[in-house]
Amino acid sequence: MHIMEGFLPVEWALFWFALSIPVVIWGFVRIRKLFAEQPEMKMSVALAGAFIFVLSSLKLPSVTGSSSHPTGTGASTILHGVAITSVLATIVLIFQALLLAHGGITTLGANIFSMGIAGPLIGWMAYKGMNKVRMGLVPTVFVTAFLANLATYIVTALQLALAYPTDGNAMTSFITFFGIFAVTQIPLAVVEGVLFVMFFDYLARARPDLLKGKLIIKDRAAEVAGAAVEG
Amino acid sequence: MSRKAWYTVGFGLIIAICVAAFMLQPGAEFGGADGQGEEEIGNINPDYQPWFESLWTPPGETESLLFALQAAIGAVIIGYFIGNEHGKRTALQKIGDPVEVQVGPGKAEAADK
């Protein structure tokens, strides 16, 4: 999803910055408030950020014969919501833009929007909806992580299509870019979904307090029994 | 199925998906999709000139180093968390605190203090 340095025309670069900056500022405010009120949540935020660090550094091979990144934003979306996730994604994207020449400073706004805001937002909507109808941990976490990843790349395709319409037709470009990103991304989104299901299953047993009020854990009795046996 | 078995299935699935990529596309280069996107921009608009260059582009080996560093930073934090939780549980078990050990949430809260 990294749009390379200098590859967005100035007006589009500014446009995506204008959309992203308020969300990131809101995220900073949320983090400060969270740390002030619940300092014990620092570890949880660090953990969510750590997953974004690890997963977005991995270039995984996909069935299309090309490689791409997971985004790792699913856990953060469930644990802390979209705004805080956008801050964590921004840290990673700045690291990659300055030290790895992946993405860039001029395209930072667009990349924050796709990876830190749009992807997590789509994931968050699915998470909220599935949690509401009590779908349980496994499907909810899987779909959230899967969609946060896939939506990020669909938005990247959209951003490139808007900036580079084919003979004035953005739709044609979108299909082209969608073809490059989406199919490559599907298996990686599945990988990410499976990984986060396992991690949240672990969290539900080891630190259910971190998931309190955030995820409905159906298998309550089995869980307590499991904790007792393992504990 | 036990949790261990489920975790084995989960990690097995992750590895299988990555390995399947190589089996389905033998001999593919596995270049980055980001780079393909960049090429496609050149196809759509051959006249486009990037108007800004990366401030610093690491040499190939250094790039690998920095990617590994990024993964390592994250992995250290995740490892610290899991190890810390494991240690807390073991410690509680050792001092023989039956109530804390049996009740999941209570255990975690007590350990936080």
Side-chain angles (χ1 to χ4, degrees):
Chain A
M1 41 64 61
H2 301 86
I3 299 178
M4 292 295 166
E5 186 75 283
F7 269 89
L8 274 186
V10 183
E11 60 274 20
W12 280 110
L14 291 174
F15 174 78
W16 296 113
F17 266 113
L19 286 185
S20 295
I21 288 172
V23 181
V24 175
I25 291 173
W26 179 42
F28 265 114
V29 173
R30 288 271 319 269
I31 288 185
R32 284 192 56 159
K33 198 163 160 248
L34 182 73
F35 284 1
E37 288 170 359
Q38 295 169 273
E40 74 275 11
M41 292 304 276
K42 280 180 187 166
M43 190 63 223
S44 173
V45 173
L47 196 60
F51 270 105
I52 301 178
F53 254 74
V54 175
L55 290 175
S56 71
S57 77
L58 304 176
K59 286 189 264 191
L60 297 178
S62 183
V63 287
T64 50
S66 54
S67 299
S68 193
H69 308 257
T71 61
T73 50
S76 179
T77 300
I78 294 174
L79 292 172
H80 304 294
V82 176
I84 290 179
T85 304
S86 78
V87 175
L88 299 173
T90 302
I91 296 169
V92 175
L93 287 168
I94 290 175
F95 180 97
Q96 294 182 329
L98 292 181
L99 296 179
L100 290 160
H102 257 65
I105 293 302
T106 59
T107 52
L108 188 63
N111 290 335
I112 292 172
F113 187 82
S114 62
M115 177 175 158
I117 300 171
L121 182 66
I122 304 285
W124 183 83
M125 290 193 293
Y127 147 66
K128 279 287 167 188
M130 292 177 78
N131 214 23
K132 199 163 199 170
V133 297
R134 305 182 68 84
M135 291 285 275
L137 185 146
V138 174
T140 307
V141 172
F142 181 83
V143 171
T144 304
F146 178 86
L147 284 180
N149 179 318
L150 197 61
T152 296
Y153 281 82
I154 292 172
V155 169
T156 301
L158 189 70
Q159 288 171 327
L160 288 173
L162 288 170
Y164 299 99
T166 309
D167 306 322
N169 190 341
M171 197 60 210
T172 313
S173 291
F174 177 71
I175 293 166
T176 309
F177 288 117
F178 183 85
I180 293 174
F181 291 122
V183 185
T184 301
Q185 213 56 35
I186 287 171
L188 307 188
V190 171
V191 165
E192 199 169 338
V194 171
L195 186 72
F196 278 137
V197 164
M198 292 194 289
F199 184 70
F200 274 79
D201 175 77
Y202 164 78
L203 270 189
R205 286 177 299 121
R207 289 294 300 274
D209 57 310
L210 293 182
L211 299 179
K212 217 160 120 192
K214 286 170 182 157
L215 260 183
I216 289 162
I217 301 155
K218 267 184 172 171
D219 204 4
R220 197 73 215 164
E223 208 181 280
V224 173
V229 169
E230 280 194 35
Chain B
M1 258 179 15
S2 73
R3 279 183 196 279
K4 262 196 186 138
W6 276 118
Y7 281 11
T8 309
V9 169
F11 282 117
L13 194 61
I14 289 174
I15 294 166
I17 289 172
C18 293
V19 173
F22 291 103
M23 292 170 72
L24 290 169
Q25 300 280 345
E29 281 185 20
F30 292 99
D34 287 341
Q36 290 179 12
E38 199 180 317
E39 276 169 33
E40 198 52 46
I41 292 172
N43 292 340
I44 291 172
N45 188 349
D47 300 330
Y48 185 80
Q49 289 296 328
W51 56 282
F52 200 83
E53 292 285 317
S54 290
L55 297 173
W56 180 64
T57 307
E61 296 297 325
T62 314
E63 185 185 318
S64 309
L65 162 79
L66 289 167
F67 264 117
L69 181 67
Q70 188 193 328
I73 293 171
V76 163
I77 296 173
I78 297 167
Y80 169 82
F81 176 84
I82 293 176
N84 191 31
E85 291 305 320
H86 182 77
K88 276 195 284 195
R89 215 173 315 161
T90 316
L92 283 171
Q93 218 175 5
K94 264 195 186 140
I95 58 172
D97 194 337
V99 180
E100 300 282 51
V101 173
Q102 272 170 20
V103 184
K107 168 192 66 183
E109 273 160 32
D112 267 346
K113 280 169 194 160

